[in-house]
Amino acid sequence: MGDCDVAVIGGGLVGGAVAFGLARLGRRVALLDEGDLAYRAARGNFALIWAQSKGLGLPEYGAWTARSAAAWPAFAAALHEVSGIDPGLHQPGGFHLLLGEGEYLRRGELLARLHNQPGMPEGGYRMVGREELAKLLPDIGPDVVGASYGPRDGQCNSLRLFRALHLALGRLGGAYLPAHGVQALRFRGGSFEIEASGRTIGAGQVVLAAGLGNAKLAPLVGLEAPVRPQRGQIVVTRRTARFLDHPTTTIRQTDEGGVMLGDSVEEAGFDNAVTLGPISAIARRAVRIFPRLGALPIARSWAALRVMSPDGFPIYQQSATCPGAFLATCHSGVTLAAAHALHLAPAIAAGRLPPELAVFGAERFHVSAAA
Amino acid sequence: MSETAELAVVGAGPAGLAAAALAAGFGLDVALIDEQPGPGGQIYRGIETSPHAPGTVLGEDYWYGARPVRAFRRSRVRYLPSTAAWSLDRERELGLLHAGQARTLAAKRVILATGAIERPIPIPGWSLPGVMTAGGAQILLKTAGMVPHSGTVLAGSGPLLWLLAWQIGRAGGKLDAILDTTPKSNWRRAWPHLPAFAVSPYALKGLRLRLAVGRRFRVVSGVVALAAEGQERIEAVRWQGADGSEGRLAVDTLLLHQGVVPETNLAMAAGVPHRWEETRLCFEPVLDAYGDTEVPGIAIAGDGGGILGAWAAEETGRLAAVAAIRALRPDAAEALRPVEARARRALAHVERGRAFLDALFRPAERFRIPEGETLACRCEEIAAGRVIEAASMATGPNQLKAYLRCGMGPCQGRMCGLTVTELMAKARGVSPAAVGHYRIRPPVKPLTVAELAGLPPDPVGEGAVNRD
Amino acid sequence: MFRRQPETAATLSILVDGKPIPARAGESVAAALLAAGLSAFRRSPVSGVPRGPYCLMGACYDCLVTIDGQPGRQACQVPVASGMRIETKP
Ligand SMILES: Cc1cc2nc3c(=O)[nH]c(=O)nc-3n(C[C@H](O)[C@@H](O)[C@H](O)COP(=O)(O)OP(=O)(O)OC[C@H]3O[C@@H](n4cnc5c(N)ncnc54)[C@H](O)[C@@H]3O)c2cc1C
Ligand SMILES: Cc1cc2nc3c(=O)[nH]c(=O)nc-3n(C[C@H](O)[C@H](O)[C@H](O)COP(=O)(O)OP(=O)(O)OC[C@H]3O[C@@H](n4cnc5c(N)ncnc54)[C@H](O)[C@@H]3O)c2cc1C
Ligand code: FES
């Protein structure tokens, strides 16, 4: 194994989805990843496919997200077929549950502003009062006044998604290479040389999908990725009888039966330790929303680092100086996995990003810096 | 506001009791936390409430425990029994749970004396009801006066196996057979350490015990394969001898043992670095001569720092206390010198002979690294074969956990961690050190959502969660 | 099978799946159940096979039962109390 058509650097969900998409098109793909203890959001996320709240300030992002949500069933089916593993897609529409009138009003205003932007797809959300909500989610506590509802929203089993992507790549003739952290990356004579784990791999194209690692790699091939870590903590209970048929932004029941309670948003640098303040706040909010959760034993908690750009929107870019080098990063790699596999990968294979992705270029950060 | 202590000691076994009592004697404000209702740890479990008359059944090494317990009872230690420590962070804040109430305790120094757990014994059928650990049977004996009286086989290897058999005999219980899995080849490796062992405090005792057990119960040695059979619970145990002979006994109880390994979950959750120890085949925390870890202010004493036994645990407990006292009471340095010297001498004495025991009772690979359908992870029911199959693709045990869910159940890897690391190492032809272990996260002891919710709110936590 | 030694007779009673069984103050719920001849306490949430106590020291989580209405408690870590209600799923 020396050379490949495309080297995808970073084996998280962004890299995994792009690699799968490329391999489906017949490209020989190597997916290079670091070792066991790395910053890897793909192993620590909340597994929502979430559209209702995406795109304020950039309606193109709202549209891209909606497109991915719509592509998820086809993506899940293709992945299941190739890998033999069911990523557990469940897309019945999702709720953001609101505690108190203040939260309800603010949410309503926020979503109205977001969805009134020109270019946002139609029918992206609806506010739901307590009475209607209680029929769908009978276990809500007295403090829940209502919810916003997103018809495109759903969930998956993101660990099975993760494994399925790696397995599928192998079945399609690609290679997932753990313990291949990329140390050096060079553009030479129209192709790329990648040094990882003491060997050099040649590639015609390279896709940087290294999450937080992109910040360092990008400048090597004329790209940029001003991303920073943003910590999120999650608590999960032991398995319990099914009681929740819809995903919600902070509480969802997995297909194995455990209930995930999420997820904090914290600026804590590269510290991915669990801290008691946020996880107890998560627990408090959860028992106000569904009092029955109180009795459940916790299986564990964890913290993982989201990959955030300065404005929170994805960065998709192709290198002007090193043709064939691309970069992809976002903070919702589950949601966007379908778009990455079915839309972004074909564009990369064709050698250029389509015009509708131009707004996601990193140049946008220069503009705002100058302004 | 968090409760505070100058020194928090977790675990009231020999190590924790000695550490706490010594530190309190030097005027430190010490909190001693243990999830058990009474002091004693594993070895002296139930010593204040045991149904047995003092001096009987359990043997003199057990009743010796009354001494450290009495010394501790006389000290000014703030004792928090029936209290589980479910979290510890690098800033030395502990999460505690007592009677359904969670709270935090912040300490200037922490000594973890959480002891050992039994090494998993992943044989076919080991998750059937009726299959238990030898240590578990011993707990029943110590705390409830219960003994096996029929249909019971004890199998495995290690000093504790023989101790339990001896105690069961003294208590009038019955074992249908003892299946000794100690590999004969271990003698070759243990041999060079025999002279040191012969003059150690363990030699004579061990020999006497072994002979007494042999007189009382049927012992089958050289067992190379074991399996528990049954549908809804264990119905029989089947074994194979080194000579190819086979045996089967109908039983309702099978007691397994192949040594103990450090209980590392709380230390790992706090980020204490651990390394693979090749003779003892487990992960041990990286410690200095006082038991201090690489995390400032957190030390480890007793078997949690590496298995040395109860006598050594008392001494390593004292040494950890010496370092804590010296850090918090610089004036005491002079007075501590003889205390430390005594502890070091005693430790050297009881460390003698350990190398022999470690080599002799090193469990065989066939009882550590299962194959095929045998469960590696009991909680999530992941067979060894599936681990091997996924091993080549995973970055390591943490990715494997994400792939297969092994280690994600309530035991948090206590029952499968070592097995999965060794399985991966074997499948890849590398050392377990290169494979590493599961990352451990709180809570390391059971806690409900409501209990976690009961911690007092802090603005940082609230702000990170309640947002529009 | 385990048997209590004569001198350690039971002193109180707990309700296991509605039936009273004897127990001795100071012992765990798991000990009382084992003394009554019960070795399967629950069904595994994955495949539904029966499970029972393995370690008796709080490490394996195979002894989980419902105690006084609270599910998922470790029978080996909870001391018995007079009148305690235990539910198993053998
Ligand atoms: C089941 C079992 C039985 C044993 N029996 C014997 C024996 O009979 N003879 C012998 O020589 N050796 C025995 N050992 C070996 C044992 O390790 C002893 O060497 C000795 O008890 C070690 O002392 P220690 O102080 O290090 O820890 P331990 O005596 O193990 O004490 C640790 C204490 O910490 C508590 N603890 C652990 N984690 C937490 C937490 N997170 N929160 C609150 N409390 C916690 C435990 O409840 C325990 O009381 C046994 C080991 C086991 C596992
Ligand atoms: C708490 C939390 C909750 C989340 N919830 C959701 C959700 O509900 N829905 C959703 O859509 N998204 C969610 N996300 C985000 C989602 O997990 C990520 O977007 C997703 O994992 C994709 O990120 P990534 O692939 O860019 O980065 P990662 O998953 O972090 O992967 C980056 C990979 O690159 C590797 N790497 C880094 N440097 C190098 C190098 N030099 N060489 C080789 N490899 C390298 C890393 O080891 C890693 O494997 C959540 C994230 C967090 C943290
Ligand atoms: S028997 Fe192992 S936790 Fe109770």
Side-chain angles (χ1 to χ4, degrees):
Chain A
M1 157 100 227
D3 293 355
C4 55
D5 297 334
V6 195
V8 179
I9 302 176
L13 290 180
V14 172
V18 170
F20 170 64
L22 288 166
R24 281 182 83 215
L25 299 171
R27 297 296 187 280
R28 282 183 311 136
V29 181
L31 180 60
L32 286 75
D33 207 357
E34 292 176 307
D36 202 36
L37 296 173
Y39 299 115
R40 191 169 289 132
R43 272 188 341 218
N45 62 64
F46 203 67
L48 293 175
I49 292 149
W50 211 250
Q52 61 169 275
S53 50
K54 304 282 172 67
L56 187 61
L58 191 66
E60 290 86 349
Y61 177 46
W64 177 240
T65 299
R67 196 169 158 201
S68 192
W72 245 97
F75 166 66
L79 188 59
H80 189 173
E81 193 190 315
V82 178
S83 67
I85 290 187
D86 179 358
L89 174 65
H90 177 233
Q91 227 172 348
F95 294 95
H96 177 78
L97 301 172
L98 300 158
L99 295 171
E101 289 305 325
E103 280 191 15
Y104 191 87
L105 288 176
R106 285 196 298 277
R107 182 72 173 181
E109 279 167 21
L110 177 89
L111 292 190
R113 233 180 326 130
L114 160 60
H115 288 273
N116 286 340
Q117 295 175 111
M120 281 299 287
E122 289 298 304
Y125 86 106
R126 187 160 74 75
M127 296 304 288
V128 177
R130 180 177 165 94
E131 216 170 298
E132 184 186 350
L133 188 64
K135 287 195 196 108
L136 292 161
L137 307 175
D139 292 307
I140 50 172
D143 295 351
V144 179
V145 297
S148 62
Y149 171 77
R152 302 186 177 100
D153 298 338
Q155 57 190 334
C156 71
N157 184 312
S158 76
L159 295 182
R160 285 213 303 275
L161 167 65
F162 182 54
R163 176 149 200 239
L165 288 169
H166 290 172
L167 269 178
L169 179 64
R171 305 249 156 106
L172 294 170
Y176 172 63
L177 302 174
H180 276 69
V182 172
Q183 269 104 40
L185 174 59
R186 281 181 300 272
F187 182 62
R188 188 172 288 172
S191 67
F192 296 87
E193 279 175 16
I194 299 155
E195 272 171 38
S197 189
R199 62 199 241 211
T200 305
I201 296 167
Q205 283 183 306
V206 60
V207 182
L208 304 189
L212 293 167
N214 271 350
K216 260 204 204 132
L217 294 173
L220 303 178
V221 285
L223 293 161
E224 57 189 307
V227 289
R228 71 170 197 284
Q230 185 189 63
R231 184 165 69 186
Q233 304 195 48
I234 291 176
V235 173
V236 66
T237 73
R238 287 190 214 150
R239 289 178 162 97
T240 183
R242 182 146 301 280
F243 77 100
L244 184 55
D245 287 329
H246 287 266
T248 80
T249 28
T250 59
I251 300 173
R252 63 177 211 91
Q253 189 166 23
T254 69
D255 53 4
E256 283 114 1
V259 184
M260 285 178 59
L261 315 175
D263 46 346
S264 61
V265 172
E266 304 162 65
E267 299 298 332
F270 281 88
D271 178 3
N272 64 2
V274 167
T275 53
L276 300 188
I279 64 169
S280 68
I282 287 169
R284 267 190 298 283
R285 189 171 174 95
V287 290
R288 280 179 74 198
I289 292 177
F290 291 116
R292 61 176 291 156
L293 292 174
L296 293 181
I298 295 166
R300 68 189 172 284
S301 64
W302 66 85
L305 303 180
R306 296 186 193 82
V307 185
M308 287 306 275
S309 66
D311 58 8
F313 301 122
I315 306 174
Y316 303 118
Q317 214 183 4
Q318 65 190 86
S319 174
T321 51
C322 308
F326 294 81
L327 181 138
T329 185
C330 68
H331 68 64
S332 289
V334 181
T335 307
L336 295 178
H340 291 159
L342 301 185
H343 303 311
L344 180 63
I348 290 171
R352 63 180 302 115
L353 295 182
E356 74 263 25
L357 292 185
V359 291
F360 296 108
E363 304 80 20
R364 69 182 190 268
F365 303 117
H366 308 169
V367 175
S368 60
Chain B
M1 257 309 275
S2 194
E3 195 177 319
T4 59
E6 285 188 286
L7 171 65
V9 180
V10 183
L17 290 171
L22 180 61
F26 275 82
L28 262 60
D29 164 32
V30 184
L32 175 61
I33 296 137
D34 198 300
E35 61 180 335
Q36 292 192 48
Q42 298 304 347
I43 177 163
Y44 313 130
R45 185 184 272 266
I47 190 149
E48 291 180 332
T49 53
S50 171
H52 304 282
T56 63
V57 180
L58 299 167
E60 57 175 337
D61 286 349
Y62 178 80
W63 296 110
Y64 160 85
R67 280 192 357 216
V69 167
R70 235 179 294 124
F72 147 73
R73 285 293 189 190
R74 278 196 304 265
S75 72
R76 287 161 170 270
V77 171
R78 210 174 347 133
Y79 177 41
L80 308 174
S82 303
T83 303
W86 51 269
S87 168
L88 172 64
D89 66 21
R90 299 178 69 91
E91 278 70 51
R92 297 173 308 283
E93 186 177 59
L94 282 153
L96 304 181
L97 182 75
H98 172 74
Q101 193 73 50
R103 64 183 201 275
T104 57
L105 185 149
K108 293 194 178 125
R109 308 276 299 199
V110 171
I111 297 175
L112 298 179
T114 52
I117 58 173
E118 281 178 273
R119 176 191 294 284
I121 306 130
I123 59 164
W126 70 305
S127 59
L128 286 169
V131 180
M132 294 181 4
T133 65
Q138 197 199 36
I139 289 169
L140 293 173
L141 179 60
K142 286 175 181 170
T143 62
M146 285 164 60
V147 284
H149 69 98
S150 68
T152 303
V153 163
L154 174 62
S157 174
L160 212 59
L161 182 101
W162 300 106
L163 174 62
L164 175 67
W166 180 77
Q167 289 171 330
I168 288 173
R170 298 235 306 176
K174 204 168 149 283
L175 292 170
D176 294 352
I178 297 171
L179 307 176
D180 182 358
T181 62
T182 312
K184 295 240 155 87
S185 56
N186 280 5
W187 278 101
R188 224 179 314 121
R189 248 171 285 158
W191 199 246
H193 305 292
L194 188 61
F197 178 72
V199 298
S200 81
Y202 308 101
L204 202 59
K205 260 188 201 154
L207 193 65
R208 241 192 267 140
L209 209 119
R210 174 68 184 81
L211 289 174
V213 171
R215 277 195 298 271
R216 184 152 195 138
F217 299 121
R218 171 183 175 202
V219 177
V220 182
S221 49
V223 169
V224 297
L226 267 178
E229 297 178 348
Q231 289 301 317
E232 295 275 287
R233 53 216 64 190
I234 184 169
E235 290 156 20
V237 55
R238 188 187 282 284
W239 71 89
Q240 213 177 64
D243 54 2
S245 63
E246 293 199 7
R248 185 177 185 276
L249 271 177
V251 295
D252 57 41
T253 307
L254 172 62
L255 305 176
L256 298 172
H257 180 77
Q258 55 178 349
V260 299
V261 295
E263 155 64 303
T264 55
N265 277 35
L266 195 55
M268 284 188 178
V272 170
H274 286 64
R275 68 168 161 240
W276 177 257
E277 214 293 319
E278 187 55 35
T279 12
R280 294 195 280 261
L281 298 164
C282 60
F283 287 100
E284 295 181 353
V286 179
L287 304 178
D288 74 7
Y290 293 91
D292 276 323
T293 69
E294 289 175 18
V295 180
I298 299 182
I300 297 181
D303 276 358
I307 304 302
L308 289 170
W311 293 331
E314 261 188 63
E315 307 310 334
T316 54
R318 288 197 183 98
L319 290 172
V322 163
I325 300 163
R326 201 153 40 205
L328 299 171
R329 298 280 189 284
D331 295 350
E334 198 53 43
L336 284 168
R337 219 159 278 150
V339 177
E340 176 175 347
R342 235 183 344 243
R344 293 216 180 273
R345 264 198 313 278
L347 184 60
H349 179 65
V350 296
E351 270 180 338
R352 245 190 295 157
R354 259 353 269 196
F356 176 80
L357 293 174
D358 287 345
L360 181 62
F361 293 121
R362 192 170 190 265
E365 182 179 304
R366 53 186 172 264
F367 292 110
R368 302 191 325 265
I369 309 184
E371 294 175 347
E373 291 301 302
T374 303
L375 291 187
C377 165
R378 298 164 61 102
C379 296
E380 296 290 331
E381 299 183 44
I382 310 298
R386 291 181 60 199
V387 173
I388 294 165
E389 181 198 28
S392 62
M393 223 174 84
T395 53
N398 291 291
Q399 193 117 311
L400 201 75
K401 187 163 151 184
Y403 283 168
L404 299 180
R405 296 189 59 79
C406 53
M408 279 205 185
C411 92
Q412 292 161 319
R414 287 178 178 88
M415 291 294 119
C416 66
L418 290 175
T419 313
V420 162
T421 291
E422 285 212 84
L423 270 168
M424 285 194 93
K426 191 179 173 194
R428 293 179 170 186
V430 300
S431 93
V435 170
H437 54 78
Y438 292 145
R439 178 153 190 192
I440 302 298
R441 300 285 206 167
V444 302
K445 289 283 166 183
L447 182 76
T448 66
V449 176
E451 286 160 353
L452 178 59
L455 283 182
D458 76 58
V460 177
E462 296 301 305
V465 172
N466 296 306
R467 54 188 198 272
D468 287 319
Chain C
M1 289 275 267
F2 288 90
R3 185 172 64 187
R4 273 183 234 276
Q5 288 179 295
E7 71 265 31
T8 66
T11 53
L12 53 83
S13 153
I14 60 175
L15 277 179
V16 179
D17 301 320
K19 285 194 279 302
I21 68 160
R24 181 189 158 273
E27 72 188 14
S28 66
V29 169
L33 267 61
L34 286 166
L38 305 170
S39 62
F41 286 19
R42 66 166 190 143
R43 296 269 158 182
S44 105
V46 179
S47 71
V49 295
R51 287 285 174 88
Y54 172 74
C55 72
L56 289 148
M57 59 168 292
C60 75
Y61 293 75
D62 261 330
C63 63
L64 302 178
V65 294
T66 300
I67 300 182
D68 288 335
Q70 208 198 343
R73 301 212 55 201
Q74 289 170 292
C76 71
Q77 297 296 90
V78 179
V80 290
S82 190
M84 201 173 231
R85 283 171 303 110
I86 315 294
E87 288 150 62
T88 71
K89 280 191 210 144

